[in-house]
Amino acid sequence: YSRNPKQALAEKIRVTKPGGLVCVGLTRVPPGDDGAQQLADEGAKNYLSTDEILEDMGSAATSVAFRHDPLDPSKKGGILLIVRVKE
């Protein structure tokens, strides 16, 4: 958990062996949900998709090994992303 997830992702990548895998799992909280407002009040980023996580990882993520986004975007659900990092 971090108020600066982009920096946290960069640190995960930094300590990962070149060509290794980084896994990110979190709960997607849809806009309008009470939890989304709580995250905003706490200054936390509310990722809504694996695409948003990949964007924050930048070019360090060379390939996606696995990704899962909730099927129903109007409900809370798990987001899981596993990526290979630069060698």
Side-chain angles (χ1 to χ4, degrees), residues 38-58:
Q38 181 180 354
L39 289 170
D41 292 345
E42 294 173 358
K45 182 167 183 176
N46 183 19
Y47 286 106
L48 299 176
S49 70
T50 53
D51 287 333
E52 290 181 11
I53 299 169
L54 283 167
E55 184 177 317
D56 278 356
M57 289 180 139

Side-chain angles (χ1 to χ4, degrees), residues 1-5 8 12 25-27 39 42 44-45:
Y1 297 96
S2 173
R3 292 192 196 276
N4 188 342
K12 276 186 170 217
L26 53 91
T27 300
L39 289 170
E42 294 173 358
K45 182 167 183 176

